[in-house]
């Protein structure tokens, strides 16, 4: 039974960046900059307990939310799929409502199914932050990507990305990161091009404000930033008819071979050398080194990948304050 009617205006959740206004994005990014420059004033969220429900694996998002909660003086309780009663068949909604009954101030939710965070948000009272739902959205990742791009290109003052050109490269169809990043970059004025094998770049990204198509070698010299994506082998074949019990699920790979993929879409040192002066390399992680991104580029002078990770904590602090009304 839904606690909030589907039509109810919800202002305290963060479920995605698609549809978020430029002023809302700037508010969150400005709060992140304030945290970076001035730090936190006292234990702003003391007394709050944040429930971190991770039904899918994570290193960066889960850890950085936990650190963000602690830095704000609140406490975090963590539940993961394998150690919870979800593994016994309990639904995500029942799980969230039971945790709510114990008394928590907010939920951070990661799940395999697109729409899970929104579904939980309709069923519980406290604010819900989407920490990645299937192939749908990963809003805090999109914010930290935007903040990192703004920092690298000297746009921290007003977060106006007009005139910047960004390529997002690889398995875009499987990527919630791409959906959130395209929404935020485009809303703030950047031009985004999505590049990858035809089976990995859905035309629907044009509706989010991106240009779709082109070759990596063709677009690379004009880009101010390139965001490389991992091939999400584990998501290929999702949405197809389930295999009968006991049979191996069919895999529908959109690429013929990793070797062929690398030939056209990997960011090698030779390709990185063709990028323009000051252009940066981004990756949301986890990186599959030697597939989409070579070691020398991932750890090279153009890489801002570790800045992205550092900004993850600040962005999540800003989002927690925003959702809990402490802004
Ligand atoms: N970028 C990202 O979401 O990484 P994790 O899956 O490790 O959280």
């Amino acid at each position: 039974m839904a606690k909030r009617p589907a039509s109810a205006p919800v202002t305290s959740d963060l479920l995605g960046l698609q549809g978020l206004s430029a002023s809302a994005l700037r508010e969150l990014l400005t709060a992140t900059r304030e945290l970076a420059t001035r730090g936190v004033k006292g234990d702003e969220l003391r007394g709050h307990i944040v429930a971190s429900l991770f039904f899918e694996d994570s290193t960066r998002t889960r850890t950085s939310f936990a650190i963000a909660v602690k830095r704000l003086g609140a406490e975090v309780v963590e539940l993961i799929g394998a150690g919870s009663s979800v593994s016994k068949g309990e639904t995500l909604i029942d799980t969230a409502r039971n945790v709510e009954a114990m008394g928590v101030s907010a939920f951070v939710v990661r799940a395999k199914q697109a729409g899970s965070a929104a579904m939980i948000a309709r069923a519980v009272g406290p604010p819900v932050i989407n920490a990645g739902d299937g192939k749908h959205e990963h809003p805090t990742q999109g914010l930290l990507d935007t903040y990192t791009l703004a920092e690298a290109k000297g746009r921290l003052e007003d977060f106006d990305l007009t005139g910047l050109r960004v390529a997002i490269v690889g398995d875009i169809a499987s990527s919630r990161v791409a959906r959130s990043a395209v929404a935020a970059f485009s809303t703030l004025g950047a031009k985004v091009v999505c590049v990858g094998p035809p089976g990995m770049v859905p035309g629907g990204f044009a509706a989010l404000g991106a240009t779709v198509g082109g070759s990596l070698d063709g677009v690379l010299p004009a880009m101010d930033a390139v965001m490389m994506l991992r091939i999400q082998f584990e998501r290929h074949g999702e949405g197809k008819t389930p295999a009968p019990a006991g049979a191996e699920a069919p895999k529908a790979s959109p690429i013929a071979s990793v070797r062929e993929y690398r030939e056209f879409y990997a960011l090698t040192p030779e390709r990185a050398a063709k990028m323009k002066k000051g252009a940066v390399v981004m990756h949301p992680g986890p990186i599959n080194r030697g597939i989409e991104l070579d070691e020398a580029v991932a750890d090279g002078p153009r890489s801002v990948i570790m800045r992205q990770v550092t900004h993850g904590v600040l962005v999540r602090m800003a989002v927690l304050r925003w959702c809990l009304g402490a802004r």
Side-chain angles (χ1 to χ4, degrees):
M1 187 183 297
K3 192 169 250 187
R4 300 178 193 161
S7 58
V10 175
T11 53
S12 55
D13 302 315
L14 182 67
L15 302 175
L17 300 185
Q18 291 170 50
L20 216 61
S21 66
S23 65
L25 289 169
R26 286 201 172 96
E27 185 183 335
L28 284 163
L29 294 164
T30 303
T32 303
R33 187 191 63 211
E34 297 289 308
L35 287 165
T37 52
R38 295 191 195 157
V40 198
K41 293 190 210 100
D43 288 348
E44 288 186 34
L45 295 184
R46 181 173 293 283
H48 287 283
I49 298 176
V50 175
S52 173
L53 311 184
F54 273 69
F55 304 113
E56 191 188 66
D57 295 344
S58 168
T59 295
R60 281 146 290 271
T61 313
R62 186 172 150 210
T63 310
S64 60
F65 263 114
I67 293 171
V69 168
K70 285 174 205 279
R71 287 214 183 138
L72 290 166
E75 289 177 61
V76 64
V77 286
E78 296 201 314
L79 203 64
I80 56 170
S84 74
S85 291
V86 168
S87 67
K88 302 176 198 164
E90 188 167 36
T91 66
L92 300 188
I93 287 181
D94 277 340
T95 302
R97 293 187 71 177
N98 276 267
V99 173
E100 180 188 12
M102 296 175 208
V104 297
S105 304
F107 288 92
V108 175
V109 177
R110 168 167 291 192
K112 282 193 168 67
Q113 302 79 14
S116 301
M119 185 178 74
I120 289 173
R122 285 196 292 275
V124 299
V128 174
I129 302 169
N130 181 5
D133 60 332
K135 298 178 185 178
H136 175 228
E137 278 238 33
H138 193 349
T140 55
Q141 178 72 41
L143 287 168
L144 74 88
D145 293 337
T146 308
Y147 190 88
T148 305
L149 177 63
E151 180 189 64
K153 307 314 297 179
R155 307 291 178 101
L156 282 182
E157 198 165 315
D158 55 6
F159 299 101
D160 182 353
L161 305 182
T162 305
L164 296 182
R165 300 184 70 183
V166 184
I168 302 182
V169 183
D171 190 359
I172 288 158
S174 303
S175 178
R176 55 196 176 208
V177 172
R179 284 175 179 81
S180 294
V182 167
F185 292 169
S186 305
T187 301
L188 295 175
K191 296 270 181 239
V192 185
V193 56
C194 294
V195 178
M200 287 184 171
V201 185
F205 267 75
L208 299 179
T211 305
V212 173
S215 73
L216 180 55
D217 289 317
V219 304
L220 203 53
M223 294 297 120
D224 297 287
V226 181
M227 183 190 287
M228 303 305 296
L229 300 176
R230 178 176 71 90
I231 305 176
Q232 298 193 43
F233 293 105
E234 74 277 16
R235 293 201 199 280
H236 299 163
E238 276 180 0
K240 304 269 185 290
T241 309
E248 196 175 324
K251 294 281 178 209
S253 179
I255 56 166
S257 73
V258 169
R259 186 189 297 191
E260 198 172 271
Y261 179 88
R262 274 187 58 76
E263 195 179 324
F264 295 102
Y265 301 106
L267 191 54
T268 59
E270 295 72 32
R271 281 204 172 103
K274 293 179 187 150
M275 292 170 69
K276 71 183 191 189
K277 191 165 179 259
V280 295
V281 174
M282 305 172 73
H283 195 303
I287 301 171
N288 282 164
R289 288 170 185 256
I291 299 185
E292 74 275 10
L293 188 58
D294 282 6
E295 189 105 356
V297 185
D299 303 329
R302 292 188 184 278
S303 174
V304 291
I305 295 169
M306 285 300 131
R307 293 301 291 161
Q308 290 174 267
V309 177
T310 299
H311 294 149
V313 174
L314 297 168
V315 158
R316 286 162 182 137
M317 287 169 75
V319 167
L320 284 161
R321 288 162 89 214
W322 193 73
C323 291
L324 285 166
R327 58 189 181 277

